[in-house]
């Protein structure tokens, strides 16, 4: 029985309603597979939610800029969705994260993220996947990079 | 108070802070990131996972660490800063976590001072939720 090749009830990331049947891409994608581009533009509402989640009395003043990791997190959400990891029966552990940033990003500034599967292997029944992401502004200039390593365990049927 | 770049030296601690990770913060982070995975939000679902209850997003803990870095290096962190971390343990809503950092190296590369720091975020029992390294080019 192939690992992950099973009919899965997929959970919507927005409202958790069961909406479709899917085989997660992580079980079939090969190294080099590209994801996106994703529009990871962060508007005011999400910036406010970020401040509510993270902020405190000693928080720095970002002015009209964003914490770059917020853009990384937005791209990661898209990647997790595309890899099929919101599926029922799969448990994903975010094991490692790298990020670098060349300049601040403004609230509402258009940023596109393009991902690439850099590694995907199975060890002891768990998937280990690394996805590298490049972030580009509206001129096409790269303004940051990230690399995410995840471990996925699932149920065999 | 921010330390000037000329005053920084190996062994200097970054000013960390404590944060109470409430479910409200986790809910807000889900809105901010778009990550509505039920392991963070739905107790009934989370009780069936290996953790047995809801956990905070790992990126929320990392966001706290980058708050510390932004405060420590206000003109530098967003211009060429890099980090590499591992997520070692989950943070559960209700826990108070503490960020920390220490300068471990200062070197010059092509006329640019580069600071390397250990960074992380500890759980109440002292174990690391997030731990790793950051480098920051000083202006």
């Amino acid at each position: 029985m192939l690992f992950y090749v099973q009919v899965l009830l997929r959970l919507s990331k927005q409202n958790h309603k069961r909406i479709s049947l899917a085989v997660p891409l992580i079980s079939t994608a090969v190294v080099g597979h590209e994801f996106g581009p994703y529009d990871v533009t962060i508007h005011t509402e999400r910036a406010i939610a970020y401040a509510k989640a993270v902020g405190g009395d000693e928080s720095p003043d970002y002015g009209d800029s964003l914490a770059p990791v917020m853009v990384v997190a937005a791209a990661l959400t898209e990647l997790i969705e595309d890899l099929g990891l919101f599926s029922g029966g799969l448990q994903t552990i975010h094991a490692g994260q790298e990020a670098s940033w060349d300049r601040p990003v403004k609230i509402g500034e258009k940023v596109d993220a393009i991902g690439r599967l850099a590694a995907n292997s199975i060890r002891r029944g768990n998937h280990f996947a690394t996805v590298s992401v490049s972030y580009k502004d509206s001129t096409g200039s790269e303004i940051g990079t990230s690399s995410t390593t995840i471990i996925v365990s699932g149920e065999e049927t | 108070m921010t330390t000037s770049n000329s005053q920084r030296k190996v062994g200097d601690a970054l000013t960390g802070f404590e944060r109470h990770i409430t479910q409200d913060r986790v809910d807000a982070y889900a809105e901010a990131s778009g990550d509505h995975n039920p392991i963070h939000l739905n107790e009934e679902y989370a009780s069936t996972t290996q953790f047995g209850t809801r956990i905070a997003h790992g990126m929320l803990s990392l966001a706290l660490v980058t708050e510390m870095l932004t405060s420590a290096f206000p003109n530098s962190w967003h211009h060429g800063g890099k980090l590499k971390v591992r997520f070692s343990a989950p943070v559960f809503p209700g826990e108070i976590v503490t960020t920390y950092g220490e300068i471990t190296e200062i070197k010059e590369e092509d006329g640019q001072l580069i600071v390397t720091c250990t960074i992380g975020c500890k759980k109440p029992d002292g174990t690391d939720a997030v731990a790793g390294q950051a480098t920051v080019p000083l202006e």
Side-chain angles (χ1 to χ4, degrees), chain B residues 83-105:
Chain B
L83 62 80
K84 181 177 182 179
V85 298
R86 294 185 63 83
F87 297 97
S88 309
V91 172
F92 301 103
E95 289 189 321
I96 295 174
V97 298
T98 307
T99 65
Y100 67 89
E102 180 182 326
I103 295 176
T104 57
E105 183 181 57

PDB file of all heavy atoms in Angstrom, chain B residues 83-105:
ATOM      1  N   LEU B  83      18.215  34.380   9.562  1.00  0.00           N
ATOM      2  CA  LEU B  83      18.043  33.493  10.718  1.00  0.00           C
ATOM      3  C   LEU B  83      17.900  32.055  10.250  1.00  0.00           C
ATOM      4  O   LEU B  83      17.484  31.779   9.123  1.00  0.00           O
ATOM      5  CB  LEU B  83      16.855  33.921  11.573  1.00  0.00           C
ATOM      6  CG  LEU B  83      15.452  33.919  10.978  1.00  0.00           C
ATOM      7  CD1 LEU B  83      14.838  32.530  10.941  1.00  0.00           C
ATOM      8  CD2 LEU B  83      14.556  34.839  11.786  1.00  0.00           C
ATOM      9  N   LYS B  84      18.254  31.168  11.158  1.00  0.00           N
ATOM     10  CA  LYS B  84      18.078  29.730  10.930  1.00  0.00           C
ATOM     11  C   LYS B  84      17.724  29.122  12.276  1.00  0.00           C
ATOM     12  O   LYS B  84      18.508  29.213  13.226  1.00  0.00           O
ATOM     13  CB  LYS B  84      19.359  29.105  10.383  1.00  0.00           C
ATOM     14  CG  LYS B  84      19.232  27.615  10.098  1.00  0.00           C
ATOM     15  CD  LYS B  84      20.515  27.064   9.483  1.00  0.00           C
ATOM     16  CE  LYS B  84      20.359  25.590   9.149  1.00  0.00           C
ATOM     17  NZ  LYS B  84      21.587  25.037   8.518  1.00  0.00           N
ATOM     18  N   VAL B  85      16.539  28.533  12.360  1.00  0.00           N
ATOM     19  CA  VAL B  85      16.081  28.001  13.648  1.00  0.00           C
ATOM     20  C   VAL B  85      15.487  26.610  13.472  1.00  0.00           C
ATOM     21  O   VAL B  85      15.084  26.202  12.377  1.00  0.00           O
ATOM     22  CB  VAL B  85      15.005  28.912  14.298  1.00  0.00           C
ATOM     23  CG1 VAL B  85      15.556  30.291  14.587  1.00  0.00           C
ATOM     24  CG2 VAL B  85      13.754  28.989  13.428  1.00  0.00           C
ATOM     25  N   ARG B  86      15.422  25.907  14.599  1.00  0.00           N
ATOM     26  CA  ARG B  86      14.702  24.646  14.684  1.00  0.00           C
ATOM     27  C   ARG B  86      13.571  24.824  15.684  1.00  0.00           C
ATOM     28  O   ARG B  86      13.717  25.521  16.689  1.00  0.00           O
ATOM     29  CB  ARG B  86      15.605  23.513  15.156  1.00  0.00           C
ATOM     30  CG  ARG B  86      16.703  23.169  14.181  1.00  0.00           C
ATOM     31  CD  ARG B  86      17.489  21.965  14.652  1.00  0.00           C
ATOM     32  NE  ARG B  86      16.663  20.771  14.728  1.00  0.00           N
ATOM     33  CZ  ARG B  86      16.377  19.987  13.692  1.00  0.00           C
ATOM     34  NH1 ARG B  86      16.854  20.284  12.497  1.00  0.00           N
ATOM     35  NH2 ARG B  86      15.618  18.921  13.824  1.00  0.00           N
ATOM     36  N   PHE B  87      12.455  24.200  15.386  1.00  0.00           N
ATOM     37  CA  PHE B  87      11.336  24.205  16.319  1.00  0.00           C
ATOM     38  C   PHE B  87      11.446  22.917  17.144  1.00  0.00           C
ATOM     39  O   PHE B  87      11.260  21.817  16.621  1.00  0.00           O
ATOM     40  CB  PHE B  87      10.015  24.263  15.560  1.00  0.00           C
ATOM     41  CG  PHE B  87       9.851  25.523  14.762  1.00  0.00           C
ATOM     42  CD1 PHE B  87      10.155  25.564  13.413  1.00  0.00           C
ATOM     43  CD2 PHE B  87       9.411  26.693  15.363  1.00  0.00           C
ATOM     44  CE1 PHE B  87      10.021  26.718  12.665  1.00  0.00           C
ATOM     45  CE2 PHE B  87       9.275  27.866  14.629  1.00  0.00           C
ATOM     46  CZ  PHE B  87       9.574  27.882  13.278  1.00  0.00           C
ATOM     47  N   SER B  88      11.758  23.083  18.411  1.00  0.00           N
ATOM     48  CA  SER B  88      12.116  21.928  19.229  1.00  0.00           C
ATOM     49  C   SER B  88      10.954  21.358  20.021  1.00  0.00           C
ATOM     50  O   SER B  88      10.936  20.165  20.326  1.00  0.00           O
ATOM     51  CB  SER B  88      13.228  22.313  20.212  1.00  0.00           C
ATOM     52  OG  SER B  88      14.292  22.931  19.538  1.00  0.00           O
ATOM     53  N   ALA B  89      10.022  22.211  20.398  1.00  0.00           N
ATOM     54  CA  ALA B  89       8.911  21.747  21.232  1.00  0.00           C
ATOM     55  C   ALA B  89       7.702  22.639  20.996  1.00  0.00           C
ATOM     56  O   ALA B  89       7.851  23.832  20.730  1.00  0.00           O
ATOM     57  CB  ALA B  89       9.300  21.788  22.710  1.00  0.00           C
ATOM     58  N   PRO B  90       6.509  22.080  21.114  1.00  0.00           N
ATOM     59  CA  PRO B  90       5.314  22.906  20.905  1.00  0.00           C
ATOM     60  C   PRO B  90       5.046  23.820  22.101  1.00  0.00           C
ATOM     61  O   PRO B  90       5.407  23.489  23.231  1.00  0.00           O
ATOM     62  CB  PRO B  90       4.199  21.863  20.765  1.00  0.00           C
ATOM     63  CG  PRO B  90       4.672  20.701  21.557  1.00  0.00           C
ATOM     64  CD  PRO B  90       6.176  20.674  21.401  1.00  0.00           C
ATOM     65  N   VAL B  91       4.433  24.954  21.795  1.00  0.00           N
ATOM     66  CA  VAL B  91       3.960  25.859  22.854  1.00  0.00           C
ATOM     67  C   VAL B  91       2.451  25.700  22.947  1.00  0.00           C
ATOM     68  O   VAL B  91       1.751  25.740  21.924  1.00  0.00           O
ATOM     69  CB  VAL B  91       4.333  27.318  22.540  1.00  0.00           C
ATOM     70  CG1 VAL B  91       3.670  28.269  23.522  1.00  0.00           C
ATOM     71  CG2 VAL B  91       5.849  27.496  22.548  1.00  0.00           C
ATOM     72  N   PHE B  92       1.972  25.505  24.161  1.00  0.00           N
ATOM     73  CA  PHE B  92       0.540  25.317  24.371  1.00  0.00           C
ATOM     74  C   PHE B  92      -0.100  26.624  24.841  1.00  0.00           C
ATOM     75  O   PHE B  92       0.504  27.361  25.630  1.00  0.00           O
ATOM     76  CB  PHE B  92       0.312  24.223  25.421  1.00  0.00           C
ATOM     77  CG  PHE B  92       0.900  22.897  25.027  1.00  0.00           C
ATOM     78  CD1 PHE B  92       2.088  22.449  25.598  1.00  0.00           C
ATOM     79  CD2 PHE B  92       0.282  22.110  24.066  1.00  0.00           C
ATOM     80  CE1 PHE B  92       2.648  21.231  25.225  1.00  0.00           C
ATOM     81  CE2 PHE B  92       0.835  20.888  23.684  1.00  0.00           C
ATOM     82  CZ  PHE B  92       2.018  20.449  24.265  1.00  0.00           C
ATOM     83  N   PRO B  93      -1.292  26.929  24.372  1.00  0.00           N
ATOM     84  CA  PRO B  93      -1.986  28.122  24.864  1.00  0.00           C
ATOM     85  C   PRO B  93      -2.049  28.096  26.391  1.00  0.00           C
ATOM     86  O   PRO B  93      -2.337  27.057  26.995  1.00  0.00           O
ATOM     87  CB  PRO B  93      -3.376  28.000  24.238  1.00  0.00           C
ATOM     88  CG  PRO B  93      -3.135  27.236  22.968  1.00  0.00           C
ATOM     89  CD  PRO B  93      -2.051  26.234  23.324  1.00  0.00           C
ATOM     90  N   GLY B  94      -1.751  29.235  26.987  1.00  0.00           N
ATOM     91  CA  GLY B  94      -1.688  29.346  28.441  1.00  0.00           C
ATOM     92  C   GLY B  94      -0.273  29.411  28.965  1.00  0.00           C
ATOM     93  O   GLY B  94      -0.052  29.845  30.106  1.00  0.00           O
ATOM     94  N   GLU B  95       0.683  29.022  28.140  1.00  0.00           N
ATOM     95  CA  GLU B  95       2.076  29.052  28.586  1.00  0.00           C
ATOM     96  C   GLU B  95       2.669  30.452  28.406  1.00  0.00           C
ATOM     97  O   GLU B  95       2.277  31.203  27.512  1.00  0.00           O
ATOM     98  CB  GLU B  95       2.918  28.039  27.802  1.00  0.00           C
ATOM     99  CG  GLU B  95       2.614  26.593  28.157  1.00  0.00           C
ATOM    100  CD  GLU B  95       3.589  25.603  27.554  1.00  0.00           C
ATOM    101  OE1 GLU B  95       3.996  25.800  26.389  1.00  0.00           O
ATOM    102  OE2 GLU B  95       3.922  24.631  28.236  1.00  0.00           O
ATOM    103  N   ILE B  96       3.634  30.748  29.258  1.00  0.00           N
ATOM    104  CA  ILE B  96       4.400  31.990  29.134  1.00  0.00           C
ATOM    105  C   ILE B  96       5.772  31.629  28.585  1.00  0.00           C
ATOM    106  O   ILE B  96       6.467  30.789  29.157  1.00  0.00           O
ATOM    107  CB  ILE B  96       4.526  32.712  30.486  1.00  0.00           C
ATOM    108  CG1 ILE B  96       3.148  33.162  30.968  1.00  0.00           C
ATOM    109  CG2 ILE B  96       5.474  33.909  30.371  1.00  0.00           C
ATOM    110  CD1 ILE B  96       3.134  33.750  32.363  1.00  0.00           C
ATOM    111  N   VAL B  97       6.125  32.231  27.471  1.00  0.00           N
ATOM    112  CA  VAL B  97       7.417  31.950  26.854  1.00  0.00           C
ATOM    113  C   VAL B  97       8.324  33.164  27.009  1.00  0.00           C
ATOM    114  O   VAL B  97       7.857  34.286  27.237  1.00  0.00           O
ATOM    115  CB  VAL B  97       7.270  31.583  25.360  1.00  0.00           C
ATOM    116  CG1 VAL B  97       6.445  30.316  25.197  1.00  0.00           C
ATOM    117  CG2 VAL B  97       6.647  32.735  24.579  1.00  0.00           C
ATOM    118  N   THR B  98       9.621  32.919  26.891  1.00  0.00           N
ATOM    119  CA  THR B  98      10.612  33.979  27.077  1.00  0.00           C
ATOM    120  C   THR B  98      11.610  33.943  25.931  1.00  0.00           C
ATOM    121  O   THR B  98      12.202  32.891  25.664  1.00  0.00           O
ATOM    122  CB  THR B  98      11.370  33.782  28.406  1.00  0.00           C
ATOM    123  OG1 THR B  98      10.421  33.665  29.473  1.00  0.00           O
ATOM    124  CG2 THR B  98      12.293  34.955  28.677  1.00  0.00           C
ATOM    125  N   THR B  99      11.790  35.069  25.290  1.00  0.00           N
ATOM    126  CA  THR B  99      12.778  35.147  24.212  1.00  0.00           C
ATOM    127  C   THR B  99      14.160  35.438  24.797  1.00  0.00           C
ATOM    128  O   THR B  99      14.281  36.046  25.861  1.00  0.00           O
ATOM    129  CB  THR B  99      12.432  36.237  23.187  1.00  0.00           C
ATOM    130  OG1 THR B  99      12.506  37.512  23.818  1.00  0.00           O
ATOM    131  CG2 THR B  99      11.038  36.030  22.612  1.00  0.00           C
ATOM    132  N   TYR B 100      15.201  35.001  24.075  1.00  0.00           N
ATOM    133  CA  TYR B 100      16.564  35.264  24.532  1.00  0.00           C
ATOM    134  C   TYR B 100      17.496  35.359  23.332  1.00  0.00           C
ATOM    135  O   TYR B 100      17.190  34.862  22.236  1.00  0.00           O
ATOM    136  CB  TYR B 100      17.051  34.169  25.489  1.00  0.00           C
ATOM    137  CG  TYR B 100      17.224  32.826  24.829  1.00  0.00           C
ATOM    138  CD1 TYR B 100      18.446  32.479  24.226  1.00  0.00           C
ATOM    139  CD2 TYR B 100      16.181  31.913  24.753  1.00  0.00           C
ATOM    140  CE1 TYR B 100      18.613  31.242  23.603  1.00  0.00           C
ATOM    141  CE2 TYR B 100      16.333  30.690  24.133  1.00  0.00           C
ATOM    142  CZ  TYR B 100      17.549  30.352  23.551  1.00  0.00           C
ATOM    143  OH  TYR B 100      17.715  29.140  22.926  1.00  0.00           O
ATOM    144  N   GLY B 101      18.616  35.971  23.546  1.00  0.00           N
ATOM    145  CA  GLY B 101      19.633  36.046  22.501  1.00  0.00           C
ATOM    146  C   GLY B 101      20.947  36.503  23.085  1.00  0.00           C
ATOM    147  O   GLY B 101      20.986  37.173  24.135  1.00  0.00           O
ATOM    148  N   GLU B 102      22.026  36.137  22.414  1.00  0.00           N
ATOM    149  CA  GLU B 102      23.360  36.535  22.875  1.00  0.00           C
ATOM    150  C   GLU B 102      24.279  36.661  21.671  1.00  0.00           C
ATOM    151  O   GLU B 102      24.257  35.805  20.769  1.00  0.00           O
ATOM    152  CB  GLU B 102      23.923  35.507  23.856  1.00  0.00           C
ATOM    153  CG  GLU B 102      25.311  35.873  24.377  1.00  0.00           C
ATOM    154  CD  GLU B 102      25.864  34.815  25.324  1.00  0.00           C
ATOM    155  OE1 GLU B 102      25.066  34.205  26.067  1.00  0.00           O
ATOM    156  OE2 GLU B 102      27.090  34.601  25.315  1.00  0.00           O
ATOM    157  N   ILE B 103      25.087  37.699  21.673  1.00  0.00           N
ATOM    158  CA  ILE B 103      26.052  37.882  20.592  1.00  0.00           C
ATOM    159  C   ILE B 103      27.201  36.897  20.788  1.00  0.00           C
ATOM    160  O   ILE B 103      27.815  36.848  21.853  1.00  0.00           O
ATOM    161  CB  ILE B 103      26.589  39.326  20.569  1.00  0.00           C
ATOM    162  CG1 ILE B 103      25.438  40.298  20.223  1.00  0.00           C
ATOM    163  CG2 ILE B 103      27.736  39.467  19.559  1.00  0.00           C
ATOM    164  CD1 ILE B 103      25.831  41.760  20.269  1.00  0.00           C
ATOM    165  N   THR B 104      27.466  36.101  19.752  1.00  0.00           N
ATOM    166  CA  THR B 104      28.523  35.088  19.846  1.00  0.00           C
ATOM    167  C   THR B 104      29.715  35.408  18.962  1.00  0.00           C
ATOM    168  O   THR B 104      30.781  34.823  19.125  1.00  0.00           O
ATOM    169  CB  THR B 104      27.981  33.698  19.454  1.00  0.00           C
ATOM    170  OG1 THR B 104      27.441  33.773  18.130  1.00  0.00           O
ATOM    171  CG2 THR B 104      26.899  33.243  20.423  1.00  0.00           C
ATOM    172  N   GLU B 105      29.547  36.320  18.033  1.00  0.00           N
ATOM    173  CA  GLU B 105      30.656  36.659  17.139  1.00  0.00           C
ATOM    174  C   GLU B 105      30.406  38.012  16.495  1.00  0.00           C
ATOM    175  O   GLU B 105      29.262  38.341  16.166  1.00  0.00           O
ATOM    176  CB  GLU B 105      30.796  35.586  16.041  1.00  0.00           C
ATOM    177  CG  GLU B 105      31.970  35.807  15.097  1.00  0.00           C
ATOM    178  CD  GLU B 105      32.052  34.746  14.012  1.00  0.00           C
ATOM    179  OE1 GLU B 105      31.064  34.576  13.267  1.00  0.00           O
ATOM    180  OE2 GLU B 105      33.101  34.088  13.903  1.00  0.00           O
TER     181      GLU B 105
END
